Amino acid sequence: MSEIEAIVERYVATWAEPDAEIRRKNIAELWAEDCVYSNTATVYRGREGIEEAVTEAYENFVPKGFGFRVARVDATQEAVRYQWEVVPAAGGEPTMTGTQVVTFDANGRMVRDHQFIDKVQADQAD
C-alpha cells in the first residue's frame, strides 16, 4: 500500500470511528489548517469544519448499521481521486458510492477535498 493509499484509508476509516477524540486527532494529523472540504450541499472550512462534516456523516450512517470503505485510489503528482462506498456493517452491496478529488500540501496534508456522489442511498435521496 502506498503512502497516499494509507492516508486515504485512514481518512475514510475516520468517518466510521466511534471515538470523537480519535476522529479529531486523525483530522488534525491528516489535514492542513487552512483546509476545505466541499460536497454538493455545503462547504466546510478548517479542521473544525472537517470534523463537523465527518461527525454528521458518522451520525447519519454508523448508528444505522453502515460503514465506509475505500473502493479505489488513483494518484497524480498533485491530486488524488478515490472512490468510496457506504456498506452495511454486516456485509453486502454498497448502498451509496462517491468519488473524492483531494489535493495535498508540501507536507503531505490534505488541503482541498471535493466530493461527488455517484449513487445515492434511497433514504438519503431527499
Side-chain angles (χ1 to χ4, degrees), residues 61 66-67 85-88 92-97 119-123:
F61 292 98
F66 295 94
E85 300 171 331
V86 173
V87 292
E93 292 297 313
T95 60
M96 188 171 182
T97 61
K119 173 184 169 187
V120 178
Q121 184 168 316
D123 66 350

Side-chain angles (χ1 to χ4, degrees), residues 4-5 8 72-76 79-83 99-100 102:
I4 291 294
E5 289 171 320
V8 169
R72 179 182 175 149
V73 178
D74 297 306
T76 68
V80 173
R81 174 184 67 183
Y82 69 91
Q83 295 171 313
T99 301
Q100 309 280 122
V102 180

Side-chain angles (χ1 to χ4, degrees), residues 5-125:
E5 289 171 320
I7 290 169
V8 169
E9 288 282 350
R10 183 175 173 202
Y11 176 51
V12 172
T14 300
W15 290 70
E17 172 56 55
D19 187 320
E21 288 302 316
I22 293 173
R23 288 195 305 260
R24 185 173 298 115
K25 178 182 177 280
N26 287 345
I27 290 165
E29 292 174 359
L30 295 172
W31 285 87
E33 288 185 38
D34 62 343
C35 56
V36 176
Y37 162 74
S38 61
N39 59 35
T40 57
T42 309
V43 174
Y44 299 89
R45 298 186 185 284
R47 291 177 180 155
E48 296 81 16
I50 306 302
E51 184 178 352
E52 179 184 346
V54 169
T55 300
E56 287 174 7
Y58 175 86
E59 291 172 353
N60 285 329
F61 292 98
V62 177
K64 296 176 185 174
F66 295 94
F68 305 92
R69 71 179 177 205
V70 175
R72 179 182 175 149
V73 178
D74 297 306
T76 68
Q77 284 71 25
E78 297 177 6
V80 173
R81 174 184 67 183
Y82 69 91
Q83 295 171 313
W84 51 265
E85 300 171 331
V86 173
V87 292
E93 292 297 313
T95 60
M96 188 171 182
T97 61
T99 301
Q100 309 280 122
V101 177
V102 180
T103 57
F104 291 80
D105 67 12
N107 297 316
R109 289 195 171 169
M110 299 165 69
V111 178
R112 301 283 180 272
D113 182 357
H114 306 277
Q115 180 187 72
F116 303 89
I117 301 296
D118 302 323
K119 173 184 169 187
V120 178
Q121 184 168 316
D123 66 350
Q124 297 288 319

